[in-house]
Amino acid sequence: QVQNAGVLRVVLDASFPPLETVAPNGQLSGIDVQVANALAAHLGVRAELVNMSSDGLKDAVLAGQADAIVSSFQVVPEWEKELAYSTPYFEDRVPVTVGLDSAGKPTVRTDTVDYVVAVRAGRNKLLDAINAALADMMDSGQLQSLTGQPYWR
């Protein structure tokens, strides 16, 4: 479907810099935007990026309004019947406050979060193509160049 249309329709929430944001000139920018454009190029199509609130990303894919989510998105086990997930393309470290110490100061731990591309479950050809593109991008160093992170497979 994506190749026939000549476009990979991607939704993202551009309120999470440096992963995605709206630049002063109104253009979408950030790591996820670069990854989405690179994925589309690997698929031989152009990327069509749509910025929306994160609470609408899943529904846009399920309704067929978008092909993929590339938006600092992580695997949600409860959604695995509806969405299929790529291999991770970005690893983030997120500080989480877990309580207060004896002096009343916050106790913080750092959680690791893997970001993935999500597509509607059952779109196996698209998911396979995205995973192949991500693998090529990892092997060539392109993904490291885009994200600033080394990758090992």
Side-chain angles (χ1 to χ4, degrees):
Q1 287 177 328
V2 170
Q3 272 83 16
N4 290 342
V7 62
L8 177 66
R9 298 168 304 151
V10 175
V11 288
L12 54 86
D13 179 350
S15 61
F16 298 98
L19 290 158
E20 57 264 330
T21 191
V22 179
N25 65 2
Q27 296 293 312
L28 295 171
S29 65
I31 293 168
D32 287 341
V33 172
Q34 293 175 327
V35 168
N37 284 320
L39 284 172
H42 272 30
L43 298 176
V45 299
R46 67 180 176 80
E48 180 181 285
L49 305 174
V50 175
N51 181 24
M52 65 173 54
S53 173
S54 61
D55 59 1
L57 299 175
K58 174 186 163 195
D59 290 338
V61 167
L62 295 179
Q65 298 167 338
D67 300 305
I69 301 167
V70 183
S71 184
S72 55
F73 202 79
Q74 54 193 308
V75 172
V76 180
E78 296 83 10
W79 294 351
E80 287 183 329
K81 290 182 180 178
E82 299 169 291
L83 296 177
Y85 302 102
S86 73
T87 56
Y89 66 88
F90 189 83
E91 181 180 273
D92 203 359
R93 295 195 178 7
V94 180
V96 178
T97 302
V98 293
L100 301 175
D101 64 16
S102 59
K105 294 183 181 182
T107 302
V108 177
R109 74 165 190 254
T110 301
D111 286 352
T112 301
V113 179
D114 290 329
Y115 297 138
V116 297
V117 177
V119 301
R120 191 177 72 239
R123 294 201 64 189
N124 298 336
K125 287 183 182 180
L126 176 58
L127 185 61
D128 290 346
I130 287 171
N131 279 326
L134 287 171
D136 288 346
M137 292 165 63
M138 286 178 199
D139 292 344
S140 71
Q142 181 182 16
L143 199 56
Q144 181 174 352
S145 175
L146 294 175
T147 66
Q149 294 183 335
Y151 289 89
W152 302 269
R153 286 194 311 127

